[in-house]
Every structure is written in C-alpha cells, then in structure tokens.
C-alpha cells in the first residue's frame, strides 16, 4: 500500500474494560438462532428471490431447525408483503417457529408491518434506526436526543399496534451501526426504547447489537458486548442478540468471542450471504460448535441438500474451499496429508473410544452427509498414502505398506501423463494394468493343480506336490515339483525349469469380497538375484492358492520387464 494513504485511516478505539472476563470463557451451549437469509441475504442478491424461491428457502430454514426467521421488510416491498401473507394465509409457519419482520422507526411503515402480520400466531417486530456518530452527523444531521426520540416514538407505535393485535407480538430493537456508536449513547437509546415495551423475565425484549460495518478486530466487538451487558439495567429481562457483518473477514470470530462475552442470540445467514462482504455465516458457526462437542441445535447432517437449495434459490455459488461445505474441504492432494489421513483412518478402525481423531479432518465428513470418496484426490502432488487410501476405501484393496511407494510412483506418472486429477476408477485402472493383467512376453499361467498334500503332525509342516503348465516366450513349460506348500513348490519349479533366480521376500493376502463366492487378493514381493530393487505383484482369484500363484507371476513379470 502507498504510505501516504495511511493518514486517511485511524484505528478503532479500544473499550475501557480492564477486567474483561470473556477471554477465559468457552462456548458450551448454542445461542438462539435467527436466520436473516430472507431479508439481509435476499437484499444482497443481484436478482432477489421470487416468492417461490423464498418459500423454498423458508422451508429449508425450518427443516434445518431455525425457530426464529426474519422473513423481510413487508412495509417497504410488495413482494415481501405478499410473501408474508402467503406464509400466513396458506399455513406455512409451524407452531414452534416465530417469524420476524423488520421496520424503520417510521409510523406508516410500522402500521403497514402490522397489517402484513394480521392472522399470524407469533411474530417479532424488529425496530431499528441508525445511531452511529457518522450516520447522525452526515446522513440524518440529528443530535443524540433527536435520535432517541425517533426510536422511542417507533417503540410507542409498535406497542399501540401490539395492544390491538390478536397474535403474540415480541419486541426487538437494533441501534443500527452499534459498533460505530458511542457505547454510552448506545446503552442510553437501547434502555429508552426497551422501557417503552416494559420488558420482564417472562416477556424479554431483544436488543440486537449489530456490527453493521465490521470496523475492528473481534476482541473489541467482544469488549463492546461485555461492557454493554455489565451496564445494562434489567439484564434478566433482555436478550442480547448479535448481528455481525464480515467487512474485515472476521465475522465468525467476532461472533464467537461476543458469545463468550455473554450474548444470547445470533442473527446471520447461510454461507454468510449479505450485503458487501456478507453477514456472519451461521453454518460455519454451528459446525464450529459441533466440532467442539457442543450441540448447535441446527441440523446440517445433509449439507449437500442445504447447498443445493441455497444455490438454486439465490443463484450464488458456494466456494469449493468454504468451511465444512465446499466441494474440496475434505479433500487432500498433498502426499504427506494423504498419508497422514490414510493412517488416521486406519487407526480409527481399531480405536474403541468413539472419538474422532483423524489428521487434517476436524470433523467426520459423514456427520454432514458427505462421503469418504472425496477425502483424498489424486494429482501430481499426491503420494503413496493417497493412492493406497483410494484403493482401500473405494475398492477394498489393503496394499501392504512396502508396496505403496512403488504404486504411488506409478499413479503419479499417470497424473503427469494425463495432466489432470485422476478419478478413483482411473487409479484402479493403473493398479489393474500394472499388477493384474498378464504382460506381453512374460510368464503366463495356463494350468495349476495341487496333486497331493502330506501333513506331518510331528514336524508341524506339510508337503505339497504340484503340477502346472506355464507359457514362457510363447512355448509351454510343464512343471512338477514338491515343496512346503503349493507356492513354495511352484517357486522351486520356476527356478529349476525356467531358469529364474529370485527370492520371495513378502507375502500378504486378504478377502476382497464377502460371501460364498468371495475373491481373495494376494500381494507378493520378490527380489532378483542382484538383490537390488524389490518387485511387487498382485493376484486375484476365488481360490487363495491360485491368487498367490498369479501374484508371484505378476511380480516376476514386472521384475523381468523392469517395470
């Protein structure tokens, strides 16, 4: 930045709160949530939602579990008036959900808001007027007492209308741009407005303290909230609500700290959609709590549905790296990350504690309706752990640890060849091509039989006689041999009759499928006569003996081909 521009700006003043208590507190219970997607979120769209889209969004919010939903500013917009009437007249509002309407402190707007609410069972009327120093001096050119009078008169009109209203009306007041308002003045106007409504513990008033423009670091917002709560009269009759915007990119942090400072309620939107840089993201806030073992009282167990409805109704995309939700947030491309995740998932299978503890994954993707399929994706940055994880999670292949580096190199070569990310099926195709398919010019198994097995109870060993036919360089070779087992006998026959010099150094097997026709997969490592590089092979068959013979030939063929 140009140094001469700095003189235009000044830091937000600190709050005189020396013995602040919020830094030592933690969030242990969820706040009351109020969605403002249909108001703040809607007014931030290039193309505002139509009534059908609004209804779909409302129903989604109800499904998620919001008990308070701000449905709009019915006195200022025909479509918002008509939408509220549709909700009421067609019975879309569940008995346990309270709708909230916004109105400025202007008598005609207040009276029209109540007209729009006729027939509703429960509602919050949300009154606001601007209180900040800048707004008073530049926009309204009014002094503090004039601003207080405006707010108080609005509260009186609301009280008059509520007295004639059949439904249950609750009251909310917002000193707009609270964070740009002198704290003592914000307290004075809030108490003056609340006094008109005569709050009680049984019928508390909501005082909503918005960071209409995020002007400071999150700790200062928390200080402002704690200062306000300490000075507030009738605290037991007031619900302190937060409404943070995201101009500095810190709305989530600011809200979390302000909750620690004693706030009771949070207004925000899904995915943080709001004017300028947005409102606080309730979804992120809720899942942050969830990740700490706190019940957020909102249901995001099907996050893909939430995303899909949101995108369809608003026309806005969800960033692929959006916390908890984005397409790539549970995806690792880095080899070291993939290896750590793979090992963490393996350890989790044997952990009986029930606690989630996997590197790089703060929550279990399945808890929000995501699958493990996209946790690890394969590109040129990927390593051995990622390819092995894909093979295990998607296809059931549990590659031995010593086999993984070689397979990882093959997969990396493939990503560089195609120049893009590999799908899980493409990773499997590399495995099948390199390990399972017979190679040209190699040794092919034509026939294999175990002729006889002898078991010696005293020596705790068995002897097997085998017969086999293999094709070597387009000629058939008939093998007969005995050994400790069929595989040992086959190795001996290959050394003697095919002139091969190798040592079998590792053997692993496991069932690949379940049931009476289950297939077994075998992994074998061989070392050539020069005792240099080790070579792995794999084989699959319903007969475990045949799968081991196939794996041996796969390893030998790869060794001979230098592949």
């Amino acid at each position: 930045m140009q140094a001469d521009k700095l003189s235009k700006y000044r830091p937000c003043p600190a709050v005189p709160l020396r013995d602040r208590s919020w830094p030592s507190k933690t969030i242990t219970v969820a706040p009351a949530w109020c969605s403002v997607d249909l108001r703040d979120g809607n007014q931030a769209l290039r193309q505002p939602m139509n009534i059908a889209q609004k209804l779909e969004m409302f129903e989604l919010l109800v499904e998620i579990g919001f008990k308070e939903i701000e449905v709009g500013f019915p006195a200022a917009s025909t479509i918002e008036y008509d939408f509220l009437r549709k909700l009421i007249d067609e019975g879309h509002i569940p008995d346990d959900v309270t709708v909230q309407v916004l109105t400025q402190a202007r008598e005609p707007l207040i009276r029209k808001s109540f007209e729009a609410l006729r027939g509703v069972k429960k509602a919050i009327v949300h009154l606001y007027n601007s209180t900040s120093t800048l707004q008073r001096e530049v926009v309204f050119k009014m002094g503090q007492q004039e601003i207080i009078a405006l707010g108080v008169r609005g509260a009186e009109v609301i009280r008059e209308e509520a007295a004639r209203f059949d439904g249950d009306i609750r009251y909310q007041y917002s000193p707009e741009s609270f964070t740009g308002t002198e704290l003592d003045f914000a307290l004075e106007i809030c108490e003056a407005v609340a006094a008109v409504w005569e709050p009680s513990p049984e019928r508390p008033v909501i005082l909503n303290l918005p960071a209409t423009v995020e002007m400071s670091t999150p700790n200062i917002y928390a200080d402002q909230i704690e200062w306000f709560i300490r000075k507030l009269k009738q605290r037991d009759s007031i619900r302190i609500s937060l409404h943070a915007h995201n101009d500095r990119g810190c709305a989530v942090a600011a809200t979390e700290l302000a909750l620690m400072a004693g706030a009771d309620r949070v207004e925000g939107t899904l995915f943080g959609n709001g004017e300028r840089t947005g409102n606080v993201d309730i979804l992120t806030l809720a899942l942050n709590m969830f990740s700490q073992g706190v019940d957020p009282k909102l249901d995001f167990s099907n996050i893909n549905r939430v995303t899909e409805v949101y995108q369809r109704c608003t026309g806005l995309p969800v960033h692929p790296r959006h916390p908890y939700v984005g397409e790539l947030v549970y995806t690792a491309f880095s080899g070291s990350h993939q290896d750590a995740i793979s090992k963490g998932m393996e350890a989790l299978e044997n952990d009986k504690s029930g606690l989630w503890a996997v590197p790089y994954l703060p929550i279990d993707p399945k808890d929000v309706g995501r699958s493990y399929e996209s946790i690890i994706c394969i590109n040129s940055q990927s390593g051995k752990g990622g390819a092995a994880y894909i093979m295990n999670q998607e296809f059931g292949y549990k590659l031995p640890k010593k086999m993984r580096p070689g397979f990882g190199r093959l997969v990396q070569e493939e990503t560089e060849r195609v120049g893009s990310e590999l799908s899980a099926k493409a990773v499997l195709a590399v495995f099948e091509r390199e390990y399972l398919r017979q190679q040209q010019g190699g040794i092919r198994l034509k026939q294999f039989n175990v002729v006889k097995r002898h078991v010696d109870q005293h020596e705790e060993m068995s002897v097997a006689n085998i017969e086999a036919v293999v094709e070597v360089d387009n000629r058939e070779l008939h093998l007969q041999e005995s050994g400790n087992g069929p595989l040992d006998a086959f190795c001996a026959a290959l050394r003697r009759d095919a002139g091969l010099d190798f040592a079998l150094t590792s053997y692993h097997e496991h069932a690949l499928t379940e049931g009476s026709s289950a297939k077994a997969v075998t992994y074998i490592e061989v070392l050539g006569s020069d005792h240099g590089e080790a070579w792995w092979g794999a084989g699959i068959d319903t007969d475990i003996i045949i799968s081991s013979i196939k794996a041996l030939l796969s390893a030998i063929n790869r060794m001979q081909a230098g592949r």
Side-chain angles (χ1 to χ4, degrees):
M1 299 299 293
Q2 297 175 345
D4 63 331
K5 306 297 185 188
L6 295 175
S7 61
K8 296 166 61 177
Y9 305 99
R10 58 183 181 274
C12 186
V15 178
L17 193 67
R18 295 184 180 180
D19 56 342
R20 58 185 57 83
S21 64
W22 62 261
S24 62
K25 295 181 180 178
T26 57
I27 298 171
T28 57
V29 295
W33 301 105
C34 178
S35 163
V36 294
D37 288 88
L38 295 168
R39 171 53 192 170
D40 288 49
N42 187 55
Q43 75 173 5
L45 301 176
R46 286 183 181 273
Q47 179 61 50
M49 289 181 274
N50 58 36
I51 288 181
Q53 291 167 328
K54 280 174 168 281
L55 181 58
E56 185 176 13
M57 179 64 78
F58 179 83
E59 290 174 343
L60 174 67
L61 296 169
V62 170
E63 180 183 319
I64 289 168
F66 286 96
K67 301 305 179 186
E68 296 177 6
I69 301 172
E70 188 166 273
V71 294
F73 196 152
S77 166
T78 299
I79 192 170
E80 295 193 7
Y81 185 101
D82 292 344
F83 172 61
L84 178 53
R85 293 310 315 159
K86 183 180 183 68
L87 291 179
I88 297 169
D89 294 339
E90 297 181 5
H92 292 291
I93 306 170
D95 289 343
D96 62 345
V97 171
T98 301
V99 293
Q100 177 171 301
V101 295
L102 186 70
T103 179
Q104 292 174 328
R106 293 168 55 191
E107 185 171 339
L109 297 180
I110 294 169
R111 298 199 188 281
K112 189 168 183 179
S113 298
F114 275 89
E115 177 187 312
L117 284 168
R118 69 186 183 279
V120 77
K121 294 178 181 178
K122 296 186 299 183
I124 296 169
V125 177
H126 180 187
L127 174 72
Y128 79 96
N129 66 314
S130 295
T131 60
S132 72
T133 309
L134 189 61
Q135 294 263 18
R136 295 195 316 264
E137 294 176 353
V138 175
V139 180
F140 298 103
K141 301 187 184 303
M142 296 171 70
Q144 290 185 353
Q145 295 308 307
E146 291 174 289
I147 294 292
I148 291 174
L150 186 64
V152 167
R153 178 55 187 154
E156 290 171 345
V157 176
I158 289 173
R159 186 185 62 188
E160 292 169 9
E161 289 288 335
R164 297 192 292 265
F165 201 78
D166 290 335
D168 181 13
I169 298 296
R170 298 297 178 100
Y171 307 119
Q172 174 172 325
Y173 175 67
S174 289
E176 188 189 8
S177 298
F178 163 78
T179 50
T181 304
E182 306 91 331
L183 281 175
D184 55 354
F185 176 58
L187 179 66
E188 182 181 0
I189 190 171
C190 284
E191 290 190 327
V193 169
V196 174
W197 291 329
E198 300 178 338
S200 67
E202 295 72 32
R203 292 187 62 81
V205 164
I206 301 169
L207 291 180
N208 188 53
L209 306 178
T212 308
V213 179
E214 187 176 35
M215 305 169 67
S216 69
T217 51
N219 60 299
I220 291 181
Y221 187 48
D223 280 351
Q224 290 170 328
I225 299 301
E226 183 166 340
W227 184 97
F228 189 94
I229 289 173
R230 286 190 188 184
K231 303 288 186 178
L232 182 65
K233 300 172 185 175
Q234 290 186 279
R235 174 65 179 101
D236 63 346
S237 300
I238 301 294
R239 294 170 71 198
I240 297 297
S241 178
L242 308 171
H243 184 115
H245 282 245
N246 199 41
D247 301 84
R248 291 170 52 93
C250 300
V252 167
T255 301
E256 289 180 328
L257 298 189
L259 285 172
M260 291 156 58
D264 310 300
R265 180 178 184 266
V266 170
E267 292 188 348
T269 60
L270 299 178
F271 304 99
N273 175 39
E275 281 202 303
R276 306 182 313 278
T277 47
N279 289 50
V280 69
D281 181 351
I282 283 185
L283 191 147
T284 298
L285 272 173
L287 290 176
N288 280 357
M289 294 178 193
F290 178 76
S291 74
Q292 303 301 302
V294 176
D295 183 358
K297 305 297 183 182
L298 295 174
D299 184 4
F300 290 113
S301 60
N302 189 354
I303 202 67
N304 289 339
R305 167 168 161 71
V306 175
T307 304
E308 185 247 327
V309 172
Y310 167 83
Q311 291 184 138
R312 182 170 61 251
C313 290
T314 66
L316 295 176
V318 172
H319 195 282
R321 297 294 182 186
H322 190 289
Y324 300 108
V325 184
E327 180 185 358
L328 298 177
V329 295
Y330 302 108
T331 302
F333 292 102
S334 161
S336 61
H337 288 200
Q338 291 177 348
D339 186 56
I341 291 171
S342 179
K343 289 175 179 175
M345 296 296 286
E346 288 178 9
L348 202 64
E349 293 178 3
N350 302 315
D351 187 350
K352 307 302 181 185
S353 70
L355 295 175
W356 177 256
V358 175
Y360 301 110
L361 295 177
I363 66 169
D364 185 345
K366 285 191 172 180
D367 290 338
V368 290
R370 297 285 287 271
S371 72
Y372 291 146
E373 180 177 355
S374 62
I375 287 180
I376 289 175
C377 289
I378 304 301
N379 65 13
S380 60
Q381 303 301 308
S382 305
K384 59 181 181 179
Y389 178 87
I390 292 290
M391 292 298 294
N392 183 13
Q393 291 293 322
E394 297 299 313
F395 308 109
Y397 289 91
K398 303 180 188 299
L399 304 188
K401 289 183 179 180
K402 290 172 61 180
M403 185 181 182
R404 296 174 187 178
F407 179 56
R409 286 194 296 272
L410 294 171
V411 170
Q412 191 172 49
E413 288 174 7
E414 183 70 5
T415 64
E416 292 172 351
R417 185 186 70 81
V418 301
S420 65
E421 177 187 332
L422 294 187
S423 67
K425 288 184 178 179
V427 174
L428 176 63
V430 173
F431 181 82
E432 291 175 337
R433 181 187 72 218
E434 296 291 338
Y435 295 97
L436 299 182
R437 295 176 186 167
Q438 296 288 350
Q439 298 179 18
Q440 295 295 325
I443 304 172
R444 299 187 183 188
L445 182 67
K446 306 286 286 185
Q447 184 178 325
F448 188 91
N449 294 301
V450 179
V451 178
K452 192 175 184 181
R453 298 193 72 147
H454 312 275
V455 178
D456 190 326
Q457 300 289 346
H458 299 289
E459 296 294 333
E460 297 184 351
M461 62 180 293
S462 65
V463 177
N465 297 331
I466 63 101
E467 292 180 347
V469 178
V470 296
E471 184 178 302
V472 183
D473 297 329
N474 298 318
R475 64 184 179 88
E476 286 191 352
L477 189 63
H478 293 257
L479 307 176
Q480 289 185 335
E481 189 55 271
S482 61
N484 293 337
L487 182 60
D488 180 63
F490 188 63
C491 287
L494 289 176
R495 294 188 188 100
R496 185 192 65 217
D497 297 339
L500 298 175
D501 189 359
F502 66 90
L504 194 158
T505 53
S506 294
Y507 178 96
H508 300 266
E509 66 181 43
H510 65 80
L512 191 59
T513 56
E514 298 178 354
S516 59
S517 60
K519 291 183 179 181
V521 59
T522 305
Y523 313 97
I524 283 178
E525 180 191 44
V526 300
L527 200 60
S529 57
D530 58 357
H531 298 287
E533 185 176 355
W535 297 90
W536 281 90
I540 297 174
D541 202 273
T542 53
D543 186 326
I544 188 64
I545 295 174
I546 300 301
S547 76
S548 66
I549 299 301
K550 289 179 177 179
L552 175 66
L553 292 180
S554 170
I556 290 172
N557 287 338
R558 296 189 70 246
M559 177 181 68
Q560 290 186 320
R563 180 62 181 166

